[in-house]
Amino acid sequence: MKVPSPRRMVQLGFRKLLRHAATVLTAYLVLLGAVCWLGSRTVWTQYDLLQIPSLLMGLGSSLGGALLGLSILRIANWTKLGQFKWTEWRVRIFRHGLPATAFLFLAMMAIAAAIYIGPPPDRIAQLFAELETASRERVEVIQADLMQLRQQPRFANNEMVNFLEMVIEFLQSSAKKRTKEEYIKEGNHYVLYVGRAQPPMRIWALLMAGSSFEQAGQKQDAVSYYEQIMKMPGVSRFHLKWAGMALGNHYYEDLHDVPKAIACWQQVLAVQPTSGILQNIALAYADIQDWKMAEDFFVKAEAHLIETERRLDAAKRPGRWAILYSNWANYIGRRIRGDQPSPGMESAEYKRGVELAQKAQSKEECYMDAYWEECRLSIVVGDWLSARNALRKARAHLKNTKGRDEEFNYDEIGPEMNLWLECVIAYSDPAVKKCSSEMFARMRESFDGFEADPYSTILAFLKLAKAKGSSINDDEKLVAEMVEKHFFATPTAFPSPLSN
């Protein structure tokens, strides 16, 4: 008896393996998985790979593919043209392990097709990305898209979808005021998602936790989460801007660390330059009396605003220009106050500052800060007539701010700020230096608790005005000086300078 060669022995062993029942079953299971995978990327994308409907459809498709493959083998093993010998076909097919081979071949074809086609679009990732640039109205559209997405079985209990709903709720309720305890509770809930591996979940969780703790007044907790965002690689411009602006504001307003605030804003500026960030940096440089850098950044802010409107070809928003020119005038006022001796009414810097304030007024007549900046500039150089005229214009236009957007709505601070600056003029004008009885009565009527404690009452108002975005310059020090010199203590019958 002839002994098979080693190569022949390997071949026979491999055939034996291929025709083994376990091998055939395994090959079929591979085919089933491949068909399910291909189907989840093409025909039944609404189901996950391992969901029962996907498996049932994959089972049916793979059985059909198996029968097709076996039929092809049956035809291929036709022994004579027009004559079919069933016994010989069956022997050849199973002797050579062709069913397992056919299953594996079809599986490889399905896998190759699935790889070539690629996964269906990640709609959840798309919605996360859309949220970063969405307006309030667009957020509602995204919410409707998400509701349709949830109707698909594969997203019925999807953690990312649940988290996306949480993000939408956070954005929609950001303008709604809540108690400190509610903010802390929300922040602690968001913290639970910080350790998740998926980048969108982790970054959004850090951002929402930081925002909630910031609103609750727990600044250190908020800073720790914002700093993590700033250090993460691949952070989107949206999250970097939000975290960087919040950190910069914290360093600037709470810690009075101007260099660190500038560094944060510069980091945001590198990825998403805006006129507002450039103005923040300019005013910060003004705080440390780096006048040249402040001027340079105001020029850059103006150039950026011009370029933005030209590039986007959008309707001009005069409010942006009003804010820019008003802040610029504020910077010039600070610069004049820092000059010794103080320049007079005829100085070029004073005239330039007034011109900028009036340009802001011409761009948006309801932007009260522009009138107040003109008033403050005039006070600095002792131009009392111009200061009073600026306040008259402010009072005349204040009624037009009713019902305006928050940026131009002065219902909470408008009348009080006009009255406060009237007091500042009276205190600063050497010809007056007195708080009239009429002015004292109006202050008592406008500011609750003024008569008992004018210092704390006015400080609380200035804090509110600052929170609303209005500049208060050195008014807090001025209040202390006025109280120390008993400006409000003994009102006289001297008529109010603005009563005529």
Side-chain angles (χ1 to χ4, degrees), residues 68 112 118 136 139 177 210 216 248 256 260 264 315 342 352 354 381 431 460 473:
L68 176 63
R136 185 173 300 178
V139 170
K177 296 297 182 182
H256 307 292
K260 276 193 174 182
C264 284
S342 178
R352 179 169 171 249
V354 170
V381 299
N473 291 343

Side-chain angles (χ1 to χ4, degrees), residues 29 84 107 226 418 495:
L29 292 177
F84 179 74
Y226 287 142
N418 286 334

Side-chain angles (χ1 to χ4, degrees), residues 292-490:
K292 182 180 183 305
M293 290 297 291
E295 184 73 30
D296 288 347
F297 272 92
F298 272 119
V299 172
K300 291 178 182 178
E302 184 180 36
H304 184 275
L305 202 51
I306 293 172
E307 173 62 21
T308 299
E309 292 192 340
R310 183 196 64 79
R311 186 179 69 251
L312 298 180
D313 193 26
K316 292 180 174 60
R317 290 180 54 187
R320 293 180 178 179
W321 290 103
I323 293 170
L324 169 62
Y325 290 135
S326 181
N327 284 336
W328 210 333
N330 176 272
Y331 145 73
I332 291 178
R334 296 188 197 185
R335 186 169 181 172
I336 292 175
R337 281 197 301 274
D339 290 342
Q340 295 296 331
S342 178
M345 290 182 281
E346 300 303 319
S347 69
E349 277 295 280
Y350 168 60
K351 292 180 179 179
R352 179 169 171 249
V354 170
E355 180 183 350
L356 285 167
Q358 291 177 349
K359 283 178 71 175
Q361 297 163 20
S362 67
K363 292 291 185 180
E364 175 53 78
E365 65 175 15
C366 291
Y367 191 55
M368 293 294 102
D369 288 81
Y371 303 100
W372 297 335
E373 291 301 342
E374 182 184 359
C375 176
R376 292 177 185 279
L377 272 165
S378 301
I379 292 173
V380 170
V381 299
D383 189 351
W384 313 117
L385 179 61
S386 295
R388 291 171 180 130
N389 284 336
L391 274 191
R392 286 191 179 97
K393 289 190 292 183
R395 284 200 303 242
H397 290 288
L398 181 61
K399 61 180 180 295
N400 297 327
T401 66
K402 297 286 186 181
R404 291 292 299 271
D405 295 338
E406 184 177 356
E407 196 171 45
F408 303 108
N409 190 318
Y410 292 88
D411 291 344
E412 290 188 66
I413 65 170
E416 291 80 2
M417 181 62 79
N418 286 334
L419 183 54
W420 161 244
L421 289 176
E422 186 179 336
C423 288
V424 174
I425 295 173
Y427 175 76
S428 304
D429 187 350
V432 183
K433 281 291 181 182
K434 298 289 183 180
C435 177
S436 68
S437 300
E438 184 265 345
M439 180 185 291
F440 186 90
R442 286 192 289 135
M443 291 289 287
R444 181 176 56 193
E445 181 181 352
S446 298
F447 297 93
D448 292 337
F450 171 79
E451 186 171 13
D453 187 1
Y455 177 71
S456 299
T457 304
I458 297 176
L459 277 187
F461 163 71
L462 292 175
K463 183 177 180 181
L464 173 63
K466 185 177 181 181
K468 291 289 184 181
S470 294
S471 174
I472 62 171
N473 291 343
D474 297 326
D475 286 5
E476 292 172 325
K477 295 179 182 178
L478 186 60
V479 176
E481 182 182 316
M482 293 167 76
V483 172
E484 182 180 354
K485 294 186 178 181
H486 307 289
F487 177 74
F488 300 113
T490 54

